[in-house]
Amino acid sequence: MLRLFVIFWFLLLGFQQAFATELSTFENKLNEAEDYLVVNPAQSIIILENLDDIDKVSPELFIRWHLINARAAVPTSQFYRLHQSVDAIFSQQQAPYFKKKITSIMSALGIWLRYAEYLDDAQLSFQCGYKYAANDRQRLTLTNSMALVAMAQNNNDEARNLYAESYNFTVRLNLPNVVAMIESNLGYLALDENKIPEAEHYFRSALSRYQIIDKRAGQISAGLNLLMVFLIQDQTINFERLYGPTSTLTHAFPNEAKQALLLWLEMRFKKLKGNYVSRKDIAQLQIAYEQLESDQMKTFVHRYFAKKLEVPIVPPKKILPKKFTRSWFKLVKKCQW
């Protein structure tokens, strides 16, 4: 009997050690995926996809996996991933770690709601996240997100006020990533109001900051934005200088929306240089137009390039108010965690 007990104890101990090792490996992989978020979020997704038995880990690790997946989904424009992860996270709403990460969760939810054009609900989510923000960096990021929603609602004055509230503060706090994000969105705001030199100023500054911190996704976005304003102003020399590094980064980055915008810019440059844009080119541009990442970008492409390239495309329709009806969203409206 004693011998059987000893054998059983060693087997149990071996199982526990194996489980602990497996758990440690899972956590290490999550840490690795998180480390890649800034420099290569596509690699973060690859690491996450290679982790098995996600549904069998603790609520904390489950939520961590989905938060990292959600963060990687945004710069790679894989918004279906963002939606799936946010929905999955709310299945663990009773977990202590859920409440601990409530600001990050509300931010991810708000980003998806804005993308899906639930604008009022997106604003509620960001406001809820702001309520529980633990530091100035989170508050600044959420303020920027609320300004983006205001822009989507054509409330440019409100957007500008929100940016002004946070811009100088971010500079003083030395948060180059947040400053660059705000500058990029101020550039979009200027572009929306047809203030092209002002947009160029903001996009140049954003690109410079992203280069300093070596944030690849930011460099691509700011680089493409700057190329766009160069073409709007017919500045072919400036375009040629920036095109090489931006094109290389864009083609190496798995983001269909960014590559679609690059194609439009390449074709506009081709036309500016006096070259012929064929019917095949036009067909490719029509496909690429549908792949652009937002209605805002579609509006810019339609306004500034479509007529000059003689591409028949339809501008985005006005966003109509709608309500998000997922059952757990009533908790977001209450915002009492």
Side-chain angles (χ1 to χ4, degrees):
M1 179 67 75
L2 180 60
R3 183 181 180 186
L4 287 174
F5 175 78
V6 171
I7 292 172
F8 173 77
W9 187 82
F10 275 111
L11 287 173
L12 181 61
L13 181 62
F15 173 78
Q16 289 175 332
Q17 289 176 335
F19 179 75
T21 300
E22 185 177 350
L23 190 61
S24 176
T25 301
F26 192 96
E27 286 188 272
N28 288 337
K29 285 296 182 182
L30 286 185
N31 293 337
E32 184 182 357
E34 202 162 32
D35 289 341
Y36 271 106
L37 282 171
V38 172
V39 295
N40 189 1
Q43 181 62 27
S44 299
I45 291 174
I46 292 172
I47 294 169
L48 293 175
E49 287 182 336
N50 285 327
L51 285 171
D52 298 323
D53 299 327
I54 300 165
D55 294 329
K56 296 180 181 179
V57 299
S58 67
E60 178 175 338
L61 293 179
F62 179 87
I63 292 170
R64 274 198 69 199
W65 189 99
H66 281 288
L67 277 176
I68 296 170
N69 190 54
R71 290 177 63 190
V74 177
T76 56
S77 294
Q78 298 183 56
F79 288 96
Y80 69 93
R81 286 184 176 277
L82 177 58
H83 184 204
Q84 290 170 350
S85 279
V86 168
D87 204 31
I89 288 170
F90 271 89
S91 70
Q92 302 292 332
Q93 59 187 268
Q94 299 303 322
Y97 192 72
F98 180 95
K99 296 177 183 179
K100 182 179 179 180
K101 304 300 290 186
I102 191 65
T103 295
S104 297
I105 294 167
M106 291 298 105
S107 180
L109 172 61
I111 291 171
W112 181 80
L113 288 170
R114 179 172 62 84
Y115 169 78
E117 299 181 348
Y118 294 98
L119 299 182
D120 291 338
D121 293 327
Q123 202 71 286
L124 283 174
S125 300
F126 291 135
Q127 288 167 353
C128 183
Y130 192 96
K131 176 181 176 180
Y132 291 100
N135 53 58
D136 288 332
R137 186 186 184 96
Q138 287 183 332
R139 282 185 279 272
L140 289 167
T141 301
L142 286 159
T143 299
N144 187 61
S145 295
M146 288 187 279
L148 280 172
V149 175
M151 284 176 62
Q153 294 171 318
N154 295 315
N155 191 347
N156 286 358
D157 289 339
E158 174 66 12
R160 192 174 284 103
N161 289 337
L162 287 166
Y163 288 134
E165 178 184 322
S166 57
Y167 183 78
N168 291 332
F169 195 35
T170 59
V171 174
R172 288 199 302 272
L173 288 176
N174 191 27
L175 299 173
N177 183 39
V178 181
V179 175
M181 183 170 57
I182 293 172
E183 288 175 330
S184 291
N185 290 323
L186 284 168
Y188 288 134
L189 185 58
L191 202 54
D192 186 58
E193 296 175 340
N194 205 33
K195 299 175 181 177
I196 310 304
E198 183 178 326
E200 179 182 337
H201 164 74
Y202 283 122
F203 291 146
R204 279 184 181 274
S205 184
L207 177 58
S208 177
R209 294 183 197 277
Y210 282 131
Q211 287 172 333
I212 291 171
I213 62 176
D214 195 27
K215 184 169 183 178
R216 191 178 307 178
Q219 289 181 58
I220 292 168
S221 294
L224 290 172
N225 292 335
L226 196 50
L227 288 174
M228 180 165 55
V229 295
F230 287 158
L231 290 179
I232 292 170
Q233 299 172 97
D234 295 346
Q235 296 178 1
T236 55
I237 294 176
N238 282 339
F239 181 90
E240 287 176 309
R241 288 172 179 166
L242 182 59
Y243 172 76
T246 304
S247 173
T248 300
L249 284 174
T250 304
H251 284 301
F253 199 75
N255 187 317
E256 185 180 74
K258 301 298 185 188
Q259 292 169 7
L261 176 57
L262 180 63
L263 179 64
W264 270 89
L265 300 178
E266 289 170 340
M267 291 299 173
R268 175 56 187 148
F269 178 72
K270 181 178 179 179
K271 185 75 176 287
L272 273 175
K273 297 294 285 185
N275 296 313
Y276 176 66
V277 176
S278 67
R279 289 184 178 181
K280 182 179 178 181
D281 291 334
I282 290 174
Q284 289 178 328
L285 289 173
Q286 288 174 316
I287 294 171
Y289 179 73
E290 298 302 324
Q291 296 169 336
L292 295 173
E293 65 185 346
S294 66
D295 281 353
Q296 181 186 54
M297 189 55 68
K298 288 180 180 178
T299 298
F300 293 151
V301 166
H302 180 270
R303 180 190 301 172
Y304 294 111
F305 300 132
K307 187 175 181 180
K308 292 179 179 179
L309 287 168
E310 300 179 23
V311 181
I313 51 176
V314 179
K317 295 179 181 179
K318 182 180 179 180
I319 298 175
L320 299 176
K322 58 181 181 178
K323 295 294 182 182
F324 186 59
T325 57
R326 197 72 167 142
S327 60
W328 46 256
F329 192 69
K330 62 181 181 290
L331 299 173
V332 177
K333 291 180 179 180
K334 292 180 180 178
C335 194
Q336 296 176 356
W337 306 100

